[in-house]
Amino acid sequence: MSCTLTESARQRGVSEKSHAGSASAVALVVANMIGTGVFVSLHYQLFDFHAAPPILLLWIVGGLISLCGALCYATLAKALPRSGGEYHYLTELYHPSLGFMSGLLSAVVGFAAPTAISALALGRYLHSSQDWVRPDVAAYTVIILGTLAHAMSARTSGRVQVAATSIKLTLIVGFLIAAVVLPGKGDIRWLPEAGDAKAIWNPAFATALMFVFYAYSGWNAAVYGLEEWQRPESTVKRALIGGSLLVMFLYIGLNAAFLKAAPVADLAANEEIADAAARSLFGPAAARWTSGLLAIGLFSSVSALLWAGPRVLGSMGRDVAALRWFAPKDGVPLNALVFQTVLALAFVWFGQLDTLVNYTQSGLTLCSALAVAGIFILRRRGQASAPHLILSLIFIGMAGFVILQSLVKEFTRPAPADGYHLASFPTLCGLLTALACALLWFPLNRKSP
């Protein structure tokens, strides 16, 4: 299988020496996952949950669901070995319109918007460290620098990703050690009570899981550029499973550290959770340095998103004549990279991205669930085992539960003071957007030669 992929890459002008290895693939997955999500989700979770057990349960459930998805995606990557991720899987397993839906959602919103969010978070943390730094200017700068790094070659991208992710992991491990050693000021309840187990059936739990899913998103990053890895089959499997496990343990540890470090009132009042925890743990003076280091660590998130997103558009450019401009040349999807960069810069300019991300999570979750459901098709072809069916059912069931419960919460909550508008129904609008993207394929396909 790997020989076939290598030969295919060589025919497209990609030198075998330019392929990146397992370390780069794992770094890409970890960097895609550990972004702004884990540093802001706790702020919103504390609105509905006031004890550590249900909050940590959120991160455990999210991690286990991501691991189920990673194991299923490893099987999909083995059976359908081509770059593009969900775009390729849904096209091959169902219909090109569903693949187009997934690719458009992922490439335009699933990557461009989070690129801007991570860059803005980097800018805010840098501003907390150095008052003279403007968050928006820092965001523009880091996006452009990341684009220049990834425009060179897959190997250069891999090296940049490994270095940036290593810095981020070092910072996180250092913070975890400090949270264990130093006396924290946390005042949250840690011991479980009888009512905590019922939290999972609360619509608020499903809404909170949307934030957790966003934080865990990126566990599938290695499949987007599958053909650019050395020994793709084994590399992708190690990256998906190893990266997901590592991030799950880090997320559980980080949220426990945040809760131990600072009082609930401080965490609930500050969207920049890490900054609030650092100020409580180290003091205001030291926290300025911590914020600066966190800003440096967030560069790996921006870098990872700029690497993975263009691979989806590049894969679509090979198949859809109307998108041929995005097809990769000399192994690097340069035009797609420029397109994502322009979109990300525009999102930074307009700001207010939190609503946009919440609105798109339902569509992206739907696409992942459809891809995982493809395991049943592979099973009929003899390309998947019975245990994979169980993992697929778990992932699909939880994804459906989260989407359904989110819809229930949107339609049963009291009317907003300013009346209902599109932002009042982000889950529904996200699903309708996914449908619109699927329908868009038909007129575009008619224009294809």
Side-chain angles (χ1 to χ4, degrees):
M1 188 72 69
S2 298
C3 294
T4 301
L5 285 169
T6 302
E7 180 62 29
S8 173
R10 192 179 293 117
Q11 290 173 358
R12 293 194 309 274
V14 182
S15 126
E16 187 174 354
K17 292 183 179 179
S18 69
H19 290 190
S22 296
S24 299
V26 174
L28 179 70
V29 170
V30 172
N32 261 277
M33 295 177 76
I34 305 179
T36 55
V38 71
F39 297 114
V40 299
S41 296
L42 183 60
H43 165 74
Y44 297 101
Q45 291 164 1
L46 287 170
F47 293 160
D48 297 305
F49 305 101
H50 307 100
I55 290 175
L56 295 181
L57 179 62
L58 280 166
W59 294 97
I60 294 171
V61 170
L64 292 176
I65 297 305
S66 297
L67 185 59
C68 288
L71 289 165
C72 291
Y73 267 56
T75 301
L76 289 167
K78 180 179 179 180
L80 304 169
R82 184 184 165 186
S83 299
E86 293 87 357
Y87 162 70
H88 175 53
Y89 301 149
L90 299 190
T91 296
E92 293 294 323
L93 294 170
Y94 302 106
H95 189 272
S97 62
L98 293 181
F100 184 85
M101 170 191 76
S102 174
L104 199 59
L105 284 175
S106 296
V108 176
V109 183
F111 287 105
T115 298
I117 291 174
S118 295
L120 282 169
L122 183 153
R124 288 196 296 267
Y125 277 111
L126 203 56
H127 176 73
S128 297
S129 176
Q130 303 294 329
D131 295 339
W132 58 270
V133 175
R134 284 183 49 181
D136 56 342
V137 173
Y140 294 135
T141 302
V142 74
I143 290 173
I144 293 172
L145 289 176
T147 299
L148 292 175
H150 289 296
M152 297 179 184
S153 69
R155 173 158 290 193
T156 301
S157 295
R159 288 172 176 169
V160 169
Q161 203 56 59
V162 169
T165 304
S166 297
I167 293 173
K168 175 188 283 187
L169 290 178
T170 301
L171 294 173
I172 290 175
V173 171
F175 183 84
L176 290 175
I177 293 173
V180 172
V181 174
L182 298 177
K185 299 178 182 177
D187 55 2
I188 199 166
R189 172 172 61 83
W190 289 94
L191 295 178
E193 294 183 354
D196 291 340
K198 298 179 181 179
I200 195 171
W201 303 111
N202 190 324
F205 191 86
T207 302
L209 266 179
M210 276 291 192
F211 282 94
V212 173
F213 278 5
Y214 172 64
Y216 274 107
S217 63
W219 53 263
N220 52 355
V223 301
Y224 292 114
L226 182 142
E227 294 162 87
E228 296 181 34
W229 303 124
Q230 296 172 0
R231 296 179 294 279
E233 182 180 315
S234 58
T235 295
V236 166
K237 185 174 182 179
R238 283 195 293 267
L240 293 175
I241 298 173
S244 297
L245 281 172
L246 174 60
V247 171
M248 180 175 73
F249 288 120
L250 288 176
Y251 275 2
I252 295 169
L254 264 178
N255 280 276
F258 292 152
L259 292 171
K260 179 180 180 294
V264 170
D266 291 352
L267 296 173
N270 194 340
E271 187 176 286
E272 296 166 9
I273 291 294
D275 183 63
R279 289 181 182 278
S280 182
L281 198 61
F282 305 118
R288 293 174 67 89
W289 288 97
T290 305
S291 295
L293 292 173
L294 284 170
I296 295 173
L298 281 171
F299 173 75
S300 70
S301 302
V302 177
S303 173
L305 291 162
L306 287 170
W307 188 94
R311 269 64 189 176
V312 180
L313 273 178
S315 186
M316 295 173 70
R318 298 179 196 167
D319 304 329
V320 182
L323 303 179
R324 193 64 47 82
W325 187 74
F326 295 122
K329 298 174 182 177
D330 298 324
V332 177
L334 186 58
N335 291 338
L337 174 61
V338 171
F339 178 75
Q340 179 171 324
T341 298
V342 171
L343 271 182
L345 293 173
F347 284 139
V348 170
W349 175 267
F350 289 111
Q352 302 297 320
L353 297 174
D354 292 345
T355 300
L356 180 62
V357 171
N358 292 334
Y359 145 74
T360 56
Q361 274 304 294
S362 56
L364 296 175
T365 301
L366 173 65
C367 292
S368 296
L370 286 173
V372 169
I375 292 293
F376 288 88
I377 298 175
L378 295 183
R379 175 62 174 169
R380 289 202 301 269
R381 299 177 183 175
Q383 295 176 290
S385 62
H388 287 107
L389 297 181
I390 298 174
L391 295 172
S392 177
L393 284 172
I394 294 173
F395 186 94
I396 296 167
M398 184 55 70
F401 169 77
V402 169
I403 292 175
L404 180 61
Q405 287 285 68
S406 297
L407 286 171
V408 169
K409 184 175 181 179
E410 288 177 9
F411 282 95
T412 57
R413 64 187 173 187
D418 57 348
Y420 288 109
H421 42 78
L422 288 178
S424 304
F425 305 97
T427 304
L428 176 63
C429 289
L431 295 175
L432 291 176
T433 300
L435 175 62
C437 288
L439 295 176
L440 181 61
W441 176 85
F442 292 95
L444 288 179
N445 186 57
R446 282 200 296 268
K447 295 180 181 179
S448 300

